[in-house]
Amino acid sequence: MKKFLFILLLLAFSAVSGCGSIEKEAGAALENQLVYASESEFAGLNPILQETNTDALLFRGLMRFDAENKPALDIAESYHVSKDELTYSFKLREDIKFHDGTQLTAGDVIFTIKSILDDSNASFLKSDFIAVDSMEKKDDFHLEIRLKYPFAPFIDKMTVPILPRHLLEGTDMRNSDYNVQPVGTGPYKFGEWNRGNNLTLVADEGFYGTKPSIEKVIFKFIPDSNNRALQLKSGEVDIALLDPIQAENMEDVSSLSIHKVDTADYRGILYNMNNDLWKDLKVRKAFNYAIDRTRVVDGILRGSGIEAYSPLQKHEYVNENIEKYAYDIAKAEDLLDQAGWQEAEDGWRYKNGEKLEFSLTAPASDTIRVNMANYAAESFKSIGADVKVEALDWSAIKIEDTDAFIIAWGSPYDADHHTHILFHTGQSTASSAGYNYGDYSNSEVDKLLEKGRVTIDGTERKRIYSKLQEELAEDPPFNFIAYVDAIYGINSNLEGVSERTLGHHGSGFLWNVEEWKWNDR
């Protein structure tokens, strides 16, 4: 009898613990909040010092990318461009206030751009504003920005979040408390940051645009991919980025809806040019030929992506007539032979007594990147390369110090975005706050990137960026592997989720979260 009662109690306990999400929906925990499973914790929240997926919630710019990824008016009520493409005149809305109630004015816009250009702040956005020659505040709601030369992506760049001058002027921005307690003009304002656990943003009732329906957005820091998926399934979080296998396993979970979004987001192997191995063009090309991208897409991505060959593959300026490095082991081996790397009896290649080996690093929190690294390492054995995979926590990764790294980049915006900052010599992390982690340098690439920025005619710009893609294929900084779809699992009771083509890490998925709402609370 006791055994029977014990079994009944065990079954009852199992039923309760197995219905955690149901109990959450039926009980007092039905708060009007959205819990997002964040892959990692942010270093800071100042948008001119680092990019995070909180930017669209906390901040706004004069312009804002719309559902088609085109810059549309936001804080700016209107703007005018002179015939010579050098002078931009902006009229600001007069109903914009920072979260502390202070009026946003033209002075804040000018301060933001000056802060980006200030070398002491080491902003990663500096190269986006180097064309600025002068700025003039006409009155509180009118300003004029004059450029040194025509700059094609300038209106795109004016989506930059506006900072509050009254809180930051005269401070050491790099070490300011503002970076962990920011004040912006977005639909949500800073609430609380529990280090190592979560960040809470609270709806701003004074927001000038669509008033948020959801009162709180909580970014819960969950580095482990499997843990993120488990917490999504249990209802502990409401939205999480999933890998393809996790998504397949959750397709029948009635409490969730799966959103598979096309992206401009690619994965590849960054070659660190400070490693003597990668200074040999033949070696880089050999490793490009040694990846079977079809198997990566079909296997690791389960068909949720396409093979990659260009950083502008999803852009209107795509050049499809470039070297795509189709899988060709014979060609890879021939190139290594030409480069002096000879195969020994042990199966590995050597040159001047040195073994062909390197470490390939990937962030441990990203299962797709780790799987790609492991697949690449195994594939490279076939050409005699001994590759060690290092799956590390982000806190232990300094990309510019790795031999090679599984990168994740991409952008659905202007062709200048995530090209100049990645491949221009001046964007090396050794000389600037740019993202050229591999210290790649090619004078022809530099010229094309510079020319693409100052060319206004669309036909000519397409020719320039087509040539850029040819140069990057001929002298590869990366081993492009695949474009990935962003797959999100979302609580099925959420309404208003509006998908758009996404860029780097699918970071734009929360772009219109102020329009989301719960249909059960």
Side-chain angles (χ1 to χ4, degrees):
M1 183 67 178
K2 288 182 179 179
K3 184 177 181 180
F4 178 72
L5 287 173
F6 173 77
I7 292 172
L8 282 177
L9 287 170
L10 186 62
L11 287 171
F13 175 77
S14 298
V16 170
S17 41
C19 299
S21 61
I22 296 174
E23 195 166 86
K24 178 180 175 182
E25 294 175 0
L30 257 180
E31 296 184 60
N32 185 13
Q33 63 183 29
L34 175 72
V35 183
Y36 179 92
S38 181
E39 298 171 62
S40 58
E41 188 162 9
F42 316 117
L45 300 173
N46 185 325
I48 76 163
L49 302 184
Q50 54 269 310
E51 288 179 282
T52 76
N53 53 5
T54 67
D55 289 354
L57 285 72
L58 287 167
F59 303 98
R60 285 296 163 88
L62 267 61
M63 309 297 291
R64 182 185 182 217
F65 291 115
D66 62 16
E68 304 301 321
N69 295 306
K70 303 298 182 185
L73 295 169
D74 196 348
I75 288 174
E77 185 176 281
S78 62
Y79 71 92
H80 176 265
V81 185
S82 62
K83 288 184 179 180
D84 61 5
E85 304 280 350
L86 294 177
T87 303
Y88 288 73
S89 302
F90 293 93
K91 165 68 172 71
L92 308 186
R93 292 177 56 148
E94 299 183 19
D95 58 345
I96 312 293
K97 292 185 177 181
F98 287 102
H99 297 146
D100 64 358
T102 304
Q103 180 83 51
L104 183 146
T105 70
D108 296 297
V109 179
I110 293 172
F111 171 78
T112 299
I113 296 175
K114 283 184 175 180
S115 296
I116 291 169
L117 292 170
D118 185 343
D119 287 337
S120 66
N121 293 328
S123 173
F124 70 97
L125 295 171
K126 181 180 178 181
S127 70
D128 289 348
F129 292 90
I130 56 174
V132 173
D133 185 41
S134 63
M135 295 179 283
E136 182 181 356
K137 175 181 173 181
K138 298 294 187 180
D139 60 41
D140 278 351
F141 304 106
H142 291 82
L143 75 148
E144 185 176 281
I145 301 176
R146 185 161 181 81
L147 306 183
K148 302 170 188 174
Y149 41 79
F151 191 75
F154 188 69
I155 286 298
D156 275 54
K157 306 306 184 185
M158 292 310 292
T159 58
V160 65
I162 304 303
L163 301 178
R165 180 179 61 171
H166 66 284
L167 294 178
L168 285 166
E169 192 169 40
T171 68
D172 176 2
M173 189 176 291
R174 274 276 162 190
N175 297 300
S176 172
D177 289 342
Y178 179 89
N179 300 334
V180 293
Q181 290 184 314
V183 173
T185 58
Y188 287 85
K189 57 187 178 182
F190 179 83
E192 182 181 15
W193 193 342
N194 295 312
R195 285 289 185 177
N197 189 10
N198 58 63
L199 168 71
T200 299
L201 307 183
V202 182
D204 178 26
E205 295 179 359
F207 180 59
Y208 59 92
T210 301
K211 301 294 188 294
S213 171
I214 298 173
E215 295 171 0
K216 293 180 182 178
V217 177
I218 300 171
F219 290 82
K220 189 175 182 181
F221 309 126
I222 310 173
D224 182 76
S225 174
N226 290 324
N227 195 7
R228 290 195 299 273
L230 286 172
Q231 292 199 34
L232 176 67
K233 191 172 183 179
S234 70
E236 294 172 75
V237 301
D238 302 305
I239 174 172
L241 183 64
L242 302 173
D243 67 40
I245 294 176
Q246 291 169 341
E248 287 177 3
N249 292 336
M250 292 192 189
E251 286 179 350
D252 295 329
V253 179
S254 60
S255 61
L256 299 174
S257 59
I258 304 298
H259 290 247
K260 182 173 165 181
V261 187
D262 182 27
T263 80
D265 195 5
Y266 60 81
R267 302 289 180 270
I269 300 173
L270 173 147
Y271 300 123
N272 190 337
M273 301 302 172
N274 294 306
N275 183 328
D276 288 339
L277 176 66
W278 304 123
K279 292 177 181 177
D280 191 325
L281 177 58
K282 289 185 175 68
V283 172
R284 275 181 278 144
K285 286 186 172 183
F287 280 89
N288 271 30
Y289 283 118
I291 286 281
D292 188 341
R293 294 166 182 81
T294 300
R295 290 191 66 182
V296 172
V297 171
D298 292 344
I300 295 174
L301 298 182
R302 315 285 280 194
S304 296
I306 61 171
E307 299 171 35
Y309 57 85
S310 162
L312 292 172
Q313 199 167 322
K314 295 292 189 78
H315 196 274
E316 61 181 321
Y317 293 165
V318 60
N319 183 348
E320 297 177 350
N321 301 311
I322 61 174
E323 175 60 64
K324 296 182 175 66
Y325 291 98
Y327 184 52
D328 192 330
I329 290 296
K331 190 174 287 189
E333 291 181 326
D334 181 56
L335 284 164
L336 289 176
D337 288 340
Q338 293 178 43
W341 291 95
Q342 302 301 315
E343 186 174 353
E345 291 183 3
D346 62 4
W348 304 118
R349 287 180 179 266
Y350 294 84
K351 181 179 181 180
N352 300 326
E354 183 180 341
K355 187 179 183 182
L356 181 56
E357 61 182 350
F358 62 91
S359 294
L360 179 55
T361 305
S365 61
D366 190 328
T367 55
I368 292 295
R369 287 205 255 182
V370 172
N371 290 341
M372 284 184 177
N374 285 322
Y375 172 76
E378 190 64 28
S379 297
F380 294 155
K381 287 181 181 179
S382 64
I383 58 171
D386 187 7
V387 181
K388 177 186 176 184
V389 172
E390 294 187 338
L392 304 175
D393 185 84
W394 272 114
S395 62
I397 294 174
K398 192 173 182 182
I399 301 174
E400 56 267 41
D401 290 343
T402 62
D403 291 336
F405 183 75
I406 300 289
I407 48 86
W409 284 118
S411 166
Y413 309 128
D414 187 88
D416 178 79
H417 195 241
H418 284 184
T419 53
H420 185 280
I421 203 168
L422 296 182
F423 306 120
H424 193 281
T425 302
Q427 294 303 300
S428 165
T429 54
S431 59
S432 77
Y435 291 150
N436 185 356
Y437 294 112
D439 209 10
Y440 176 78
S441 182
N442 178 310
S443 59
E444 184 61 24
V445 166
D446 289 348
K447 290 176 185 176
L448 290 165
L449 287 168
E450 292 160 9
K451 193 172 182 180
R453 302 184 122 196
V454 302
T455 301
I456 302 299
D457 179 74
T459 301
E460 178 61 13
R461 284 194 91 206
K462 182 172 184 177
R463 189 196 67 78
I464 292 167
Y465 283 104
S466 290
K467 180 64 176 173
L468 171 69
Q469 291 166 80
E470 291 175 11
E471 288 293 329
L472 291 175
E474 177 58 31
D475 181 26
F478 296 164
N479 185 336
F480 294 101
I481 297 177
Y483 277 81
V484 301
D485 294 336
I487 307 176
Y488 283 90
I490 303 179
N491 188 306
S492 57
N493 283 314
L494 276 167
E495 293 182 353
V497 177
S498 178
E499 299 173 2
R500 68 175 183 180
T501 301
L502 306 175
H504 183 37
H505 299 318
S507 60
F509 196 77
L510 299 175
W511 75 284
N512 70 331
V513 72
E514 68 272 16
E515 298 175 16
W516 297 12
K517 64 180 180 180
W518 291 103
N519 60 23
D520 63 345
R521 58 193 79 175

